Structure formats: C-alpha cells, structure tokens
Amino acid sequence: MLLDLNHGSGAVYGRGDASPGDAAVITARINAHLDAALLARQRQQRPRDYLGGSRVGEPCARKLVYEITHAPKDRDFEPGILRVFDAGHQFEALSIRWLRLAGFDLRDRGADGEQFGFVAAGGRLRGHADGVIVGGPAVGLRWPALWEHKALGQKSWTDLVKRGLRLSKPIYFAQVQLYMAYLDLEVALLTALNRDTLALHHEAVPFDAAEAQRFSDHAVDILRAAEAGELPPRIAQASDFHLCRSCPYATRCWEAP
C-alpha cells in the first residue's frame, strides 16, 4: 500500500518551525520525547518485593535494604542508562543466536516456558538465570552449565578480560555462585559482549560451595534487617566515597541517623 501524499490528500509539507538541516534542534526534540517515554515506563514498573540473586553481591548492605523496602530514591535513572539496559537485552538475544548457530544447546526457557530460576526464603530471595547450556561442542567444559550474559562497555569489558570475574565483577560473581547453588550446577559460563566492538569473552566459573554459602547467609542478613526495619552500617565514613556519589539513595542515607 502506497501512502497518498498528493494534492488533496491532507498531507501538509513544511509543517514545523525547524529547518530540515537543523539536526541539533530535531535531535534534541526527538530525544526529549524518547527520554520521557523511557522514564514513564520505568516509573510504571512494579518494584520487586524480593531480593534478587543478581543483587546479593552489591557491596553496600544498606543500599540493598533501601531497594527491597522500596525507599524513595533521590533521583531516577538517567535515560541514557535505561537505553543501555534495553540494549543489553538485544545483545543477549544476539549472543544466544550465535551460540545456537555454533551448535551449543542453550535453553533460555524451561518446559513451562518460564525462565530457569529459584525461589528461597519464603519467596523473599529469587533469581532468574539467562539460560542453561545442556550440550555443545568440545570446548573443555562439562555440560550442563549455567549461562549468564553481560553486555559491557570497552573499559569494563577490558577489565573483566584482564582480571577475571571474581575480581573485576564481584556482583556478577556472587550472582553465578548463588544460581549454581540453587540450580544444582557445577559450572557457569559467563559470556561478556563488548558493546563497542562486539568482541566476545567467555569465562568458565566453577562452583564454590563456601562462597555460595557466604552469599546466601548475607542475603538472609539483608532480609532480616529489612523485616526488622533496621539499616546496616554505611559502606563508608564520608558521603564523598565513590560508591556513595553515584548512589540513588545517598541523600537519604547520609541524612539518616
């Protein structure tokens, strides 16, 4: 079907006060609409009523208590971060497609059509895995393996490649250890995609029972503090600590007793 833009169709050419070549003005106007839409969608999302397994490794226990008790934030996410979150889902879909094309039997849904996951602590602790690889080419791994995907910027990706998951991304390390414990898997394969170059890095992470227990105990401590209305100690002695400067609860935290 062709659009009717002829005389008499009702189409009006030249409507608007920006010239076709004024890219900066048009960009700013369109992005303002996109940012508003992303923020509106974010505000409409129902907050979690549980502690996510992907968050247990967060270094600040007080921040986790604020999160699961739905304490008001000082500010919303920046729209640019929301775009990064959205792009991460698309990059994950690409990596799944490539791995399957290469012969890896990657399952991102169970027989019930839902994500693989676990529920613990009466539903107060939950996790949803990106997938499980149940078979594939001989690459030095035993299947099945937990599969987790992260899309990272150049600097973060390079640091992961250089130092490994445990040191470079302790939050992700805690995540895969908890998931392996609750899903009864002995190894995890982390796939990290470089958002800038599309380079892929893969790291095998063996299950560490002691670490998994430590993270599980930490999750229980967070849940108990939240239920008791208690705030764990701050992570720093001053509000100019680098993690505090970027925290959406910083004002609330440092004004609290």
Side-chain angles (χ1 to χ4, degrees), residues 67-243:
E67 287 181 5
I68 62 176
T69 57
H70 305 159
K73 296 179 180 179
D74 302 338
R75 57 188 181 276
D76 287 316
F77 280 117
E78 292 294 328
I81 295 297
L82 297 178
R83 290 196 292 272
V84 169
F85 291 163
D86 261 6
H89 296 305
Q90 301 307 313
F91 285 131
E92 179 183 323
L94 273 177
S95 291
I96 290 174
R97 185 189 311 168
W98 294 334
L99 284 165
R100 287 174 174 166
L101 184 66
F104 292 89
D105 189 354
L106 195 166
R107 317 280 180 89
D108 60 341
R109 292 289 188 273
D112 58 1
E114 299 295 327
Q115 277 185 288
F116 296 104
F118 69 87
V119 178
R124 296 285 283 155
L125 174 64
R126 303 183 188 186
H128 301 90
D130 291 336
V132 175
I133 299 177
V134 300
V139 295
L141 285 175
R142 295 179 59 185
W143 313 116
L146 174 74
W147 184 71
E148 283 296 322
H149 185 273
K150 305 298 178 186
L152 306 173
Q154 179 69 55
K155 182 178 179 180
S156 182
W157 187 87
T158 300
D159 187 72
L160 172 65
V161 172
K162 179 180 179 181
R163 298 201 295 151
L165 185 67
R166 183 192 289 259
L167 294 178
S168 178
K169 305 288 182 286
I171 295 180
Y172 299 159
F173 178 76
Q175 178 184 3
V176 299
Q177 291 299 334
L178 275 178
Y179 286 16
M180 283 189 283
Y182 284 106
L183 296 176
D184 194 23
L185 294 167
E186 296 181 358
V187 67
L189 178 66
L190 176 84
T191 294
L193 182 146
N194 186 317
R195 293 196 306 261
D196 301 308
T197 67
L198 297 189
L200 290 168
H201 171 71
H202 308 279
E203 181 178 342
V205 184
F207 176 58
D208 186 324
E211 285 290 83
Q213 186 63 57
R214 181 171 70 85
F215 293 128
S216 183
D217 292 344
H218 179 59
V220 171
D221 290 341
I222 297 299
L223 293 172
R224 286 176 175 168
E227 291 171 359
E230 299 173 352
L231 286 176
R234 297 184 183 92
I235 194 173
Q237 299 300 314
S239 60
D240 61 355
F241 183 62
H242 69 102
L243 292 179

Side-chain angles (χ1 to χ4, degrees), residues 54-76:
S54 62
R55 296 293 298 140
V56 173
E58 158 63 45
C60 181
R62 181 178 283 219
K63 182 178 181 179
L64 289 178
V65 169
Y66 282 139
E67 287 181 5
I68 62 176
T69 57
H70 305 159
K73 296 179 180 179
D74 302 338
R75 57 188 181 276
D76 287 316

Side-chain angles (χ1 to χ4, degrees), residues 13-47:
Y13 293 91
R15 178 176 291 172
D17 55 359
S19 66
D22 199 347
V25 172
I26 294 174
T27 294
R29 291 175 179 175
I30 292 176
N31 284 348
H33 286 286
L34 297 179
D35 290 350
L38 286 168
L39 287 171
R41 186 187 65 178
Q42 174 71 18
R43 292 166 183 159
Q44 290 170 0
Q45 290 180 353
R46 182 179 178 181

